[in-house]
Amino acid sequence: MIVVDISIVITGLPRIQASLGFSSAQLSWVTNAYTLAFGGLLLLSARAGDVLGRRRMFILGLSLFTLASVSIGFAPSAAWLLTSRAIQGAGAAVLAPSTLALLSTHFAEGPDRTRALSLYAAAAGVGATLGLVLGGLFADLVSWRAGFFINLPIGLLLVIAAHRHIGETPRHAGRFDLGGAFSSTVGMTAVVYGLVRAADAGWHDGLSQASLAAGMLMIAAFVLIERKVRQPILPLRLLASRERAGAYVARMLFLGGAVGFWFFSTQFLQGVLHLRPLQAGLAFLPVTLPNFASAMAFPRLARRFGSERLLLIGLLLGVLGLAWLGRADATATYWRDVAWPMVLIGLGQGLLLAPLTAAGVAGVDPKDAGAASGLVNVAHQLGGALGLGLLVLVFASAAPSDADGASALAHRISAVMDVGALLLGLALLVSWFCIALPHRHRNAQHKEVLQ
């Protein structure tokens, strides 16, 4: 449900822009208003699940998410839409960590959890496919607004199913770290706002500089608060593990690069290749179907080759796919220049998300399951928000002055894909150093002990 709503926006972006009058830079806030509220409130919501019960928070998140979706469908203005998207992101922040924490605590580490997390990743692939196709279908044949109304019956059915089939988890006494939640949310929002405003006004704009500086100060304040508060929303002990810390950093870098593919590819398909919204939604099938297939095959492949090796292969495929897309220009054709790179990106994403998720919750004490699950989702959402802010800046500054509309758009998107490939390359290096090498070292020590 969450992934469908993220992707259903993507194919509707050009129609949303035309309907409500967004600029190219401001359009990114349709995504960022959601992801910043999502990422900023995740840690507090994860803590709330530990204290108040994860099923209760799961149902609360579903309800808030569903109501906000309906509000977006009725949005008469840009401000209304962005406000509703932020509320929807808050609902997702309540819902997502409860979902992953329930999986992590129900399935023990090993084959069962690997299978559960693979299905979790496969559900994301199905959701992405469904959202892109439905978003294009509704935007083309009905209205971009219709895509948000489908969450009402789905949300109601899920609330009923949760009451019937999910047992409540034990509650733990504790307090809420409101200072940490406030400083982290405000800090990340200020940084992303500074990046997006700089795309419109330039680096010399005073408000952009002030926003970036204030954001960095608030993030520093967040770290200090987490070191001193008795019950932090981010227990810093979670970062003591090289494997977990590497998984969080690699996830942020991966999403920072991948978000540019999802956000700007639809503009390339509609603005350069002149596909209709429905055609653009269907044009993502070469990425979403391989994504689903490789995610479903991951448990079997992991038993044979090892999950860490598959993680590196997945990131390498993503680097190659984005770099290939970066070669597309105004003369590109879909089958030659877009579809095949999408296949590589889809195969790679299906292989890498499950091991990154498993590494992010590896070795965590059950009392920290909610916080660790929240941190996985924080890395996912904030990596996407920061990456999109950076890539919007790249997009705004990349066009040559002598290019026409389609050529300029293609040139800008090519630059975005190149930077996205660079971010995935950094994620590959971090994964190799922090996840694959320690795992290889542990295996070698284990063999020596057996001998």
Side-chain angles (χ1 to χ4, degrees):
M1 185 179 182
I2 292 172
V3 176
V4 163
D5 226 63
I6 294 172
S7 59
I8 207 168
V9 171
I10 292 174
T11 42
L13 281 173
R15 296 292 174 90
I16 293 173
Q17 183 177 16
S19 174
L20 299 179
F22 286 95
S23 71
S24 294
Q26 292 169 342
L27 191 64
S28 66
W29 282 102
V30 177
T31 297
N32 278 340
Y34 176 90
T35 55
L36 284 171
F38 193 168
L41 296 173
L42 268 167
L43 292 175
L44 182 65
S45 300
R47 179 65 177 160
D50 293 336
V51 175
L52 301 176
R54 289 169 185 151
R55 188 186 74 164
R56 175 176 295 182
M57 297 306 293
F58 181 85
I59 292 172
L60 174 63
L62 273 173
S63 303
L64 187 59
F65 187 95
T66 301
L67 292 174
S69 298
V70 175
S71 179
I72 293 168
F74 285 116
S77 66
W80 181 301
L81 185 143
L82 294 180
T83 301
S84 299
R85 281 288 281 171
I87 295 172
Q88 189 185 39
V94 176
L95 176 60
S98 298
T99 305
L100 186 54
L102 286 167
L103 284 175
S104 299
T105 55
H106 185 76
F107 296 100
E109 285 196 58
D112 285 346
R113 184 183 291 184
T114 297
R115 183 170 180 269
L117 292 177
S118 298
L119 292 171
Y120 182 78
V126 172
T129 303
L130 186 62
L132 290 165
V133 175
L134 287 178
L137 176 66
F138 287 131
D140 206 12
L141 302 180
V142 185
S143 167
W144 62 265
R145 300 173 185 274
F148 292 97
F149 292 128
I150 64 173
N151 283 329
L152 181 58
I154 296 173
L156 291 174
L157 288 173
L158 286 175
V159 168
I160 294 170
H163 275 291
R164 291 183 177 179
H165 301 294
I166 298 178
E168 185 57 278
T169 58
R171 302 184 192 181
H172 304 280
R175 298 178 179 178
F176 294 111
D177 177 15
L178 298 179
F182 176 81
S183 57
S184 62
T185 304
V186 173
M188 297 306 298
T189 302
V191 169
V192 174
Y193 176 77
L195 289 172
V196 174
R197 182 175 175 85
D200 267 342
W203 283 110
H204 299 295
D205 177 67
L207 186 55
S208 298
Q209 295 174 351
S211 181
L212 288 169
M216 297 306 294
L217 287 174
M218 290 299 290
I219 292 170
F222 168 70
V223 175
L224 292 176
I225 290 170
E226 298 310 283
R227 291 182 63 182
K228 295 182 178 180
V229 73
R230 180 174 296 179
Q231 294 180 331
I233 57 173
L234 173 55
L236 296 181
R237 60 181 174 270
L238 291 177
L239 303 178
S241 163
R242 176 176 164 185
E243 181 179 0
R244 287 198 299 270
Y248 304 143
V249 173
R251 199 178 192 97
M252 289 187 70
L253 289 168
F254 166 70
L255 263 297
V259 70
F261 164 74
W262 295 103
F263 187 85
F264 289 102
S265 287
T266 187
Q267 298 182 50
F268 186 89
L269 292 169
Q270 296 182 54
V272 178
L273 300 185
H274 305 296
L275 301 183
R276 295 183 62 83
L278 176 57
Q279 293 173 317
L282 294 172
F284 279 100
L285 290 176
V287 65
T288 53
L289 293 181
N291 183 344
F292 174 74
S294 58
M296 292 298 294
F298 177 83
R300 176 171 50 82
L301 294 173
R303 288 193 296 270
R304 182 173 180 180
F305 300 106
S307 59
E308 292 76 18
R309 187 175 297 174
L310 295 179
L311 168 60
L312 299 181
I313 293 172
L315 285 167
L316 179 60
L317 290 173
V319 171
L320 295 175
L322 284 176
W324 190 348
L325 274 178
R327 309 279 67 79
D329 57 19
T331 65
T333 64
Y334 172 72
W335 290 109
R336 184 189 66 201
D337 301 294
V338 178
W340 289 110
M342 282 184 169
V343 172
L344 295 181
I345 293 169
L347 289 172
Q349 185 165 311
L351 292 176
L352 66 88
L353 283 179
L356 272 183
T357 302
V361 297
V364 172
D365 191 282
K367 69 179 181 180
D368 289 330
S373 301
L375 193 50
V376 168
N377 282 288
V378 165
H380 196 98
Q381 299 304 323
L382 294 187
L386 287 172
L388 186 56
L390 172 65
L391 295 175
V392 164
L393 189 60
V394 171
F395 177 86
S397 59
S401 58
D402 58 343
D404 60 22
S407 296
L409 180 61
H411 184 86
R412 288 178 171 185
I413 294 175
S414 175
V416 166
M417 298 302 171
D418 288 340
V419 175
L422 176 62
L423 291 174
L424 261 67
L426 293 174
L428 176 61
L429 292 176
V430 170
S431 298
W432 174 75
F433 181 74
C434 295
I435 300 174
L437 278 184
H439 185 267
R440 183 182 301 175
H441 182 65
R442 286 196 302 271
N443 284 345
Q445 288 182 324
H446 183 64
K447 289 180 180 178
E448 288 180 2
V449 171
L450 291 178
Q451 290 173 353

